Amino acid sequence: MTGSEILEAVLLGIVQGIAEFLPISSSGHLVICGDLIARLSGREIDPEGNLQMNVALHVGTLGSILWVYRSELRELLGRRRLCVGIVVATIPLVIVGFTLKDWFERFFQTPLIAGCGLLVTAAMLWLGQKLEREQHSLDDITPRRALTVGLFQAIALVPGISRSGSTIAGGLLTGMRRDAATTFSFLIAIPAILGAATLEGQKIWENGSTGGNSAAMVVGMLTAFLVGVVALRWLLRIVSDRKLHWFAAYCLTVGVATIVWQVLATRPPGVE
């Protein structure tokens, strides 16, 4: 493993650890950063290697959730309504993932789409905070509220639309308290991330792919885990302090910048 591969793995791990939990879209940032790294290094993007690294990074952030919410997970089986809510919220993602996942991967994995998705994330974060009602605790979750949050999670398959941002905003719009919306967002992230990593891992196994660097993937995974723990704990404080508009402004700025970059990069030579 070369020094540049270590540096790239650490960089992607930092991006994943931050963007998976802060409501700024890890998938969108990985698409944008992956394209930038490829352009700056002068090499072509390796789809198979990227897929394996993406799985490793998501396993790392899954570990972050399991660590931060270990107490809640130990008590989960005794909270029947919450367990039902997690199952209901996962259904839309399963349906969309199994029926449209390949279509999403084929047509939506571009920096331009990620930039547009970030604008959607900015709008959802602003609306979620603006219209929050702070009425219901985590134990008040109903199938209807869970399904609404699950629909918000399903649209986050589009790069640039933050899974955490959309689900927290969805929870706030259903009247959940800020702490309840945030906790529910990351509890339903466990089956979502685990399912996605399992499916991608199966694809890698079936293809017999060896394109990824195992040592680099371990470095990326550990980096994503450590950074993810810090980012997740920071997010919990930010949401409780009602500062989601910070991230709405960030997503708006990066989204616009990415769209402008892509438009200029694809403009035919000689066009002013």
Side-chain angles (χ1 to χ4, degrees):
M1 182 170 60
T2 65
S4 62
E5 288 175 330
I6 295 176
L7 181 61
E8 181 177 334
V10 170
L11 175 61
L12 291 175
I14 291 172
V15 171
Q16 172 68 17
I18 293 174
E20 179 67 37
F21 300 120
L22 300 186
I24 56 177
S25 178
S26 63
S27 61
H29 279 71
L30 288 175
V31 168
I32 294 169
C33 287
D35 191 82
L36 280 172
I37 289 172
R39 288 173 183 267
L40 293 174
S41 63
R43 61 174 174 78
E44 293 186 5
I45 296 175
D46 174 15
E48 290 297 333
N50 283 357
L51 176 60
Q52 294 177 62
M53 177 60 80
N54 193 45
V55 172
L57 295 174
H58 278 85
V59 170
T61 48
L62 174 60
S64 302
I65 299 174
L66 297 177
W67 176 255
V68 172
Y69 284 104
R70 59 192 183 278
S71 298
E72 287 82 355
L73 290 171
R74 282 196 294 264
E75 302 170 356
L76 188 59
L77 292 179
R79 304 169 77 174
R80 182 182 232 175
R81 175 176 285 191
L82 180 56
C83 288
V84 172
I86 292 172
V87 172
V88 171
T90 304
I91 291 174
L93 183 63
V94 171
I95 294 174
V96 174
F98 272 108
T99 57
L100 298 175
K101 186 174 184 298
D102 290 340
W103 185 73
F104 273 100
E105 289 181 348
R106 187 177 302 114
F107 295 107
F108 286 81
Q109 297 294 323
T110 67
L112 180 60
I113 294 296
C116 295
L118 285 169
L119 300 186
V120 175
T121 297
M124 288 193 295
L125 291 173
W126 184 81
L127 285 173
Q129 181 167 288
K130 191 76 173 176
L131 302 178
E132 66 175 331
R133 299 194 302 274
E134 285 280 297
Q135 294 176 334
H136 306 292
S137 70
L138 196 60
D139 289 318
D140 295 330
I141 190 73
T142 63
R144 182 177 179 180
R145 291 192 192 102
L147 182 60
T148 300
V149 176
L151 291 172
F152 274 86
Q153 178 171 245
I155 65 174
L157 285 172
V158 177
I161 298 182
S162 166
R163 195 213 64 82
S164 62
S166 60
T167 51
I168 291 173
L172 293 175
L173 290 172
T174 65
M176 295 174 69
R177 295 203 311 249
R178 290 193 291 273
D179 60 332
T182 306
T183 298
F184 190 66
S185 168
F186 290 110
L187 289 179
I188 66 175
I190 295 174
I193 297 174
L194 183 60
T198 301
L199 289 175
E200 299 298 357
Q202 182 182 10
K203 184 186 298 184
I204 293 169
W205 178 266
E206 291 174 349
N207 293 340
S209 171
T210 57
N213 185 309
S214 298
M217 287 191 289
V218 171
V219 170
M221 180 173 62
L222 291 176
T223 303
F225 168 75
L226 295 173
V227 174
V229 169
V230 176
L232 180 50
R233 287 176 171 163
W234 185 38
L235 175 64
L236 297 176
R237 292 197 296 269
I238 288 171
V239 175
S240 65
D241 290 339
R242 205 171 182 268
K243 293 178 179 177
L244 284 177
H245 59 281
W246 288 1
F247 298 105
Y250 171 84
C251 289
L252 178 63
T253 302
V254 175
V256 170
T258 300
I259 292 170
V260 171
W261 160 47
Q262 285 296 291
V263 170
L264 293 177
T266 56
R267 188 173 57 179
V271 175
E272 296 295 335

